[in-house]
Structures are given as structure tokens and as C-alpha cells.
Amino acid sequence: MTQDVGQEAGIEPLIGVIGGSGLYNIDGLEDRVWRRVATPWGEPSDELLFGRLRGVRCVFLPRHGRGHPIPPSELNFRANIDALKRSGVTDIISLSAVGSLRDDLPPGSFVLVDQFIDRSFARQKSFFTTGCVAHVPMADPTCPRLGEVILRQAELLDITMRKGGTYLVMEGPQFSTRAESELYREWGCSVIGMTNMPEAKLAREAEMDYASVAMVTDFDCWHEGHDSVTVDAVVEVMQRNSERARNLIRAVIPALGGVRPPCPAGCDRALEHAIITAPEARDPALLEKLDAVAGRVLKR
Ligand SMILES: CSC[C@H]1O[C@H](OP(=O)(O)O)[C@H](O)[C@@H]1O
Ligand SMILES: Nc1ncnc2[nH]cnc12
């Protein structure tokens, strides 16, 4: 009940940043402290880094863990999203290294992704399993309000960022075959990576605003004029991309401080009409696990 009143009156956002390949830390954070956050879904990728940027609180999680020990298929996406949610995070900015599927997105390009095609298959994709079934809307998988702030800050920093693009999520860890790469190009995809799904789906289930900044590191394997992607190439370009990524985060988080109204697109209310399991058919043990993710709707 208290949370509903808070939503009507507006709440102060807390921004969570998920750093991808090459981004395992945020520098310049005040009051920084790494803290383990336990979840009912298991261990997140690493401890979470709590701190402030120009006085505004934020939380950082290195997606693959510090030192990059965890491959995409073994990421505990549910634990990562739950840990951010139970830490009070309302909005997630996802930062990712991606391959380009378009000539006009060369390495070094930044894309504010607004669509996904999810070709991952070996992952836990929902918090809602037997005992509490929910179907959240995913037509628009990213938050336009959060995206606008990111685009505006990028513009102020002179960082060129493409507004919109489709991110093809592959399972990995091997890179694509040339036939796959060509197929995804025919599908009209802009970039390819291995991590943004089910991350975006779970963020939606947890009623969090989610935006994805994809940083192009390579032309995958389809481009006749460029070598096929290698990890060395990705790391080298990410090192060049990372300063702009850090500057962007250092600008976006302070810009998001202060009380604001509920999300006009409804990201923060995605569960409102999503749960189909009758109250008497719900599994109490699962409901307990859902305390952080869905407590807002399950407890009333
Ligand atoms: C190191 S290349 C492949 C690796 O990089 C991307 O990770 P992230 O999205 O976390 O930046 C890609 O999805 C793969 O996991
Ligand atoms: N070409 C590519 N395919 C999948 N993930 C990537 N991450 C960076 N480049 C990639």
C-alpha cells in the first residue's frame, strides 16, 4: 500500500548500471563500497558496488564478474536482476559490447537499442514458474523515458549515439557462423551480442525501467572488408569505447536524480495485469522467492 501511494506521488529513482565486457568498475564514485547481496535465486555475478555520483546514489554490477570469469550462458540473470531490485534499484542501464550487422555502424558506434530478437535458449528466462504464472508485455522492451535522458546526455557530451536498433541475442559462447550473421542481417538486426536477453525480460518482470547502450566493437564475420571478430579485437575497441561509456554514466546518473512521476510507458507497473494464477493455486514457497521482484502486486 505504501508503495502504491509512493508511485502516485512519484519516487526518487535509484540507477543500477550493468557493465559488460571491459567494464568491471565505475571510477569517480563517492562513498564506494562493494557489498554481497544474497538472493533466493542464487548468487549474482559479483558483489554490487554502491556509491554516489555528484551526490546521487547508484549501484554497479559487473555482468560477467570482476576479471570476467562467467560466460553468457552461465550468468545467473535472475539473481542479478533480483539483487538490483532488492537493493532498491528502479532503473537499469545496461552497457554491452556488440558486433555490428550494418555498414553504417562501424566499431566505435554507440546504439541506444530499442528492440531485441531473442535467440538464446539455455537460460532461465522468468521469475514466474510453476506456482505463479505471469505474462508481462514485451512489445517495447526498453524504457523510452530512460532512453531520452541517455540520448540527451550523450548529445551534451558529443557522443554520437544511434537512436534505436535491434539487438540479436545469440547463445554463444562461440561467435556466429557467416550464414547466421547474414541471416540476422536479412532480418534487419543492427547489432549482435550474447547477454541482453533474458536480462531485459527479467527487468520487465521486476518492474524496472531498462535501457541498453550497445557499443560496437567489430563487424562480426559478414563484412568482406574486415576480419572476423576475435576477443582481442573486442577488448581493444572496448578499451577505446570505455572512456566515453564512463563519461556517459557519470553524466546520466546525476541527471536522473530527484523525485519523478511513474513511468509513462508503464515499465514500473508491468505486473499490474500480468499474473494469471489464481490466489488459491499459488505456491507459497515461490511467492516467498518473489518478495523483491513482485512484492508490490503479490502483497496487496
Ligand atoms: C568479449 S566478446 C563477447 C562477449 O561480449 C559481450 O558481452 P557484454 O554484453 O556483457 O558486453 C557479448 O555479449 C559476449 O558476452
Ligand atoms: N560479433 C559479436 N557477436 C556476439 N557478441 C559480441 N560481442 C562483441 N562482438 C560480438
Side-chain angles (χ1 to χ4, degrees), residues 232-245:
D232 284 354
V234 170
V235 170
E236 198 211 304
V237 180
M238 255 326 285
Q239 272 166 2
R240 277 187 266 138
N241 286 345
S242 72
E243 190 176 335
R244 280 180 297 154

Side-chain angles (χ1 to χ4, degrees), residues 104-119:
D104 60 356
L105 287 174
S109 306
F110 282 25
V111 181
L112 184 73
V113 170
D114 64 352
Q115 282 296 331
F116 298 99
I117 293 182
D118 185 6
R119 293 251 311 163

